[in-house]
Structures are given as C-alpha cells and as structure tokens.
Amino acid sequence: MVTTRFEALKAWDFGMAECSGPTLMPMQVLGIESSCDETGVALVAYEATSSDFSESRKPLQSPQIPRLLGHALHSQVAMHRDYGGVVPELASRDHIQRVIPLVRSVLDQSKTKLESIDVVAYTRGPGLAGALLVGASLAQGLALALNRPVLGVHHLEGHLLSPFLSEQRPQFPFVALLVSGGHTQLMAVQSVGHYECLGESIDDAAGEAFDKTAKLMGLDYPGGAALSRLAQGGDPAAFAFPRPLLHSGDLNFSFAGLKTAVWTQIRKLGESAVDHGPDLAASTQAAIVEVLVRKSMMALDQTGMKRLVVAGGVGANAKLREQLAKACAQYGVALHFPELSWCTDNGAMIALAAAMRLQAEVASLERPGAFDVKPRWPLTAKE
Ligand code: KG4
Ligand code: ZN
C-alpha cells in the first residue's frame, strides 16, 4: 500500500521507462536553474484538495497547475558587466557560492523542510557546461541524500511554460515565440511536451542582436533593456535598418546582418553618433520588433492557432509587447506574456516545467547517480 508521497513516486517505477501511474499525486518539486548568469531556485506544489491528512495522500481529482510556494534568484549581471559579457568560469564559481543559500531561502519562504521535497529538478541544458554542472550536481547530491528522484529539464521548455506562472494562464494549443538571449524560435505547442519548431534563427538570436548592437552604441551588458530605455527618446524611422528574412516566405530569422548595418551607420556618423544614440536605438529596436511581430503573425496564420505565447528575456521588451498586442488585437488572437520577473531566467519556470511534465506523463524520473548536462540541446530533440 502506498503510504507516503514518495512511495507513490516510487510506484511509478522511475527507472529508465516513461512514467505511468498516479501522476496527479500531491507533490512538491524543487527547481534549480544555473544555465547562464542567473542562479534561480524555486519550489512548486501540486496540493491535495483536502487538508485532511488521509486525503492528502490520494490522487488529485483533476489536472492542476502547480502552485509556487517560494522562489529566490541571484543575478550575476553586475559581476559580468566589467567584461562586456558572461565569463563562463566566473559564472560557474558564482553559482557554486549562491545556490545553497538560495535553496535555504526558498525552504524558509515556503515553510517547508528539505525532507518534504518529492522531486529535485534542474536545468540540464542548453547553456554553459560548467554553469549547468553546478545546478545538476547540487540536484543530484540533494536527491541522493534525500532518496528522491531527479528530473533534468530543458531550459527553453521552462521559458515556454513560464506564462503558466501568471494569473491569466494560456490554454493549449498555442504558438510560442521564444526569444531568449541565445535562441529565437517559433514553436507550435499542442500540449506539454509536444512541440514542433516552425522556424528559428539561422545566426544571431534577437537577444544577441539587442546585446551586440547595444555594445556598438556603448551600452553596458546585457544591452537589451538598456537599448530599449535609450530608444524611448528616439525616432524609430530615423534610420532604415534592414528587416532580415521578412519576405523569405519561411519562419526563420537572421539578425547578424542587422548588427553589421548598425555598425556601418555608426561609422558613417562618426563622432556625431553619440548625439544620435536614441535614434539609433529606436531604429534598431523597430527592425527587430517588426520581424518578430510579422513572423509571429505568419506562424499563427500557418497553424490556424488562435493564441500566441511569448517567453524569454526579450519578451520583457515594452515595444515588442505593445506591437504584439496591437497585431494580436487586429488578428483576433489571444496574447499571453509571463510577468516581467518570469521573462528572464529563474528557478520557478524550471520547477513548474518539471511538475507539468510529470503530470502530463511526458517525463522520466531518474534515480540520482551518474549524470550529464546538455550544453547544446534542441527543444524538439528526443531525449
Ligand atoms: O531568457 P534570458 O534571460 O536568458 C537566456 O536564456 O538567454 O534572456 C536574456 C536576453 C538578453 O539578450 C537580454 O538583453 C534580453 O534578454 N532582454 C531584453 C530586455 N530584457 C532582457 N531585450 C530587449 N528588451 C528588454 N527589455
Ligand atoms: Zn533563458
């Protein structure tokens, strides 16, 4: 007879096989994110509908969205700023120092004991190998000590499902525009774990385009938010920067040429470039945003889907949000964004993605032990 939540998890036979069994069991999932320059930890729970102890061990009545019990984050942005970008070795060392205090802080916030954690989830990839190894090692160590299963999560799936952390949750199916620092992708999302890549960047991602052009304008790393602030006082039509692949007929993106065009314009302006900062920023942002909006509308058209979900750091961009809201209203399409704090990297999206995968029965729990990380890992790849 199953007497604890963990025994229920064990009953799933978390060997190498796909999970099957009581996936709607109340459970708490710890998530650890350490793929790049943010250390994030969070705890989510599927809770019993009754507070009666005997009831709390019974399967849940219906699928739920897990509740966020606590989260903590440390950003390394200030540390990397002097170098103009992320220094991988410094990132790994900082994750090592930060991650355990963050776990403690999450447990305190959630008023939860370590022993109450049922599954330890971590970002398995993609990202910086050394940085990923820190989160993966802690997750494996914790799980081993607690005799709990682990679950490696795809970082982009965390972003993709992050709008479910908001009050206004999307419904499946939807088109997802994933715009993180290293990835720009349009995905057709049927349900948890069922994703089809409709198009992606063939060179620089939109986030890289923001960061690299911001650097050319003398702005600090990471440049996206700074460029967007500078653009507020500028004219988006001041410079006619290219809209790469806008008419390519497919849903791929290419932003490397834009960076070259901005650099050429800055050199042409010479010393007066400084006075044109806001116009340069506004025109660059307009080019990136127009391509993202137009291709998102094409993806909706192509799939016939009626919902667009935007996720990843560039999803915090105010102009992108404004232009997408306009276009979606015109097309009669529902638009979902994660809250600003969930756009950039965080532990909540990793805990949430792990819990949602378990409930949807598309995840394989593993025994802690030998493990790897996947610095390069396409979201649509078979694990
Ligand atoms: O998703 P994320 O936190 O990290 C990755 O998984 O890569 O995204 C970081 C990216 C950076 O390129 C950053 O410049 C960009 O998101 N970003 C922005 C804004 N806030 C963050 N880009 C444009 N406008 C913003 N407000
Ligand atoms: Zn990310």
Side-chain angles (χ1 to χ4, degrees), residues 2-349:
V2 170
T3 55
T4 66
R5 285 178 296 183
F6 181 54
E7 276 175 285
L9 285 164
K10 278 211 274 192
W12 295 6
D13 185 19
F14 59 83
M16 301 311 289
E18 290 280 292
C19 288
S20 62
T23 42
L24 295 186
M25 207 47 88
M27 63 171 155
Q28 297 197 354
V29 180
L30 185 77
I32 301 172
E33 156 63 31
S34 71
S35 66
C36 189
D37 57 353
E38 257 110 20
T39 325
V41 178
L43 188 67
V44 301
Y46 284 121
E47 290 167 327
T49 35
S50 162
S51 55
D52 176 346
F53 182 69
S54 58
E55 287 292 308
S56 73
R57 286 183 250 121
K58 288 190 182 158
L60 303 171
Q61 295 307 307
S62 58
Q64 295 179 0
I65 299 298
R67 193 163 78 84
L68 182 64
L69 300 184
H71 69 95
L73 185 78
H74 174 77
S75 169
Q76 303 176 354
V77 161
M79 183 180 77
H80 295 296
R81 189 165 282 146
D82 289 347
Y83 303 91
V86 178
V87 183
E89 181 61 26
L90 292 184
S92 314
R93 290 186 204 179
D94 199 65
H95 285 308
I96 292 172
Q97 288 184 337
R98 306 286 176 181
V99 69
I100 291 177
L102 291 176
V103 171
R104 288 213 178 96
S105 157
V106 166
L107 293 174
D108 286 350
Q109 271 176 46
S110 328
K111 298 187 176 41
T112 301
K113 290 202 180 89
L114 207 49
E115 297 73 38
S116 305
I117 295 169
D118 297 296
V119 176
V120 188
Y122 63 96
T123 304
R124 191 175 180 202
L128 301 169
L132 288 166
L133 277 170
V134 177
S137 311
L138 181 74
Q140 298 280 341
L142 266 179
L144 207 56
L146 295 167
N147 192 22
R148 300 291 192 272
V150 284
L151 183 56
V153 173
H154 196 294
H155 179 82
L156 291 179
E157 185 169 26
H159 277 303
L160 195 129
L161 297 175
S162 62
F164 286 92
L165 288 163
S166 304
E167 288 283 305
Q168 271 210 318
R169 291 164 183 152
Q171 283 183 343
F172 295 108
F174 54 78
V175 168
L177 172 66
L178 268 177
V179 271
S180 69
H183 296 85
T184 299
Q185 291 182 327
L186 278 162
M187 312 285 297
V189 177
Q190 297 297 342
S191 57
V192 178
H194 296 103
Y195 316 126
E196 183 199 345
C197 184
L198 303 169
E200 63 188 329
S201 176
I202 57 171
D203 43 50
D204 286 355
E208 277 173 297
F210 269 110
D211 293 344
K212 289 178 179 176
T213 52
K215 206 169 181 175
L216 295 176
M217 292 172 208
L219 300 172
D220 277 342
Y221 155 87
L227 189 147
S228 143
R229 273 193 301 276
L230 183 63
Q232 276 169 16
D235 174 6
F239 302 104
F241 290 137
R243 271 60 172 159
L245 298 192
L246 194 57
H247 303 293
S248 61
D250 60 25
L251 295 172
N252 289 333
F253 302 90
S254 162
F255 291 107
L258 176 63
K259 177 185 62 196
T260 313
V262 171
W263 179 228
T264 308
Q265 186 61 55
I266 290 175
R267 285 179 53 180
K268 228 189 260 175
L269 290 168
E271 282 179 9
S272 71
V274 186
D275 306 328
H276 292 279
D279 286 348
L280 283 166
S283 302
T284 305
Q285 179 173 258
I288 299 172
V289 166
E290 185 180 341
V291 176
L292 293 176
V293 172
R294 296 272 290 272
K295 294 254 167 168
S296 299
M297 295 307 119
M298 280 167 65
L300 288 160
D301 207 35
Q302 194 172 301
T303 56
M305 288 179 180
K306 290 285 170 211
R307 261 177 296 272
L308 178 68
V309 164
V310 185
V314 179
N317 184 273
K319 189 51 87 182
L320 178 66
R321 287 176 170 242
E322 177 198 301
Q323 296 294 319
L324 277 174
K326 251 191 218 166
C328 285
Q330 225 173 358
Y331 276 68
V333 165
L335 175 63
H336 293 267
F337 283 104
E339 270 122 40
L340 285 181
S341 52
W342 304 130
C343 281
T344 43
D345 294 348
N346 62 81
M349 68 184 197

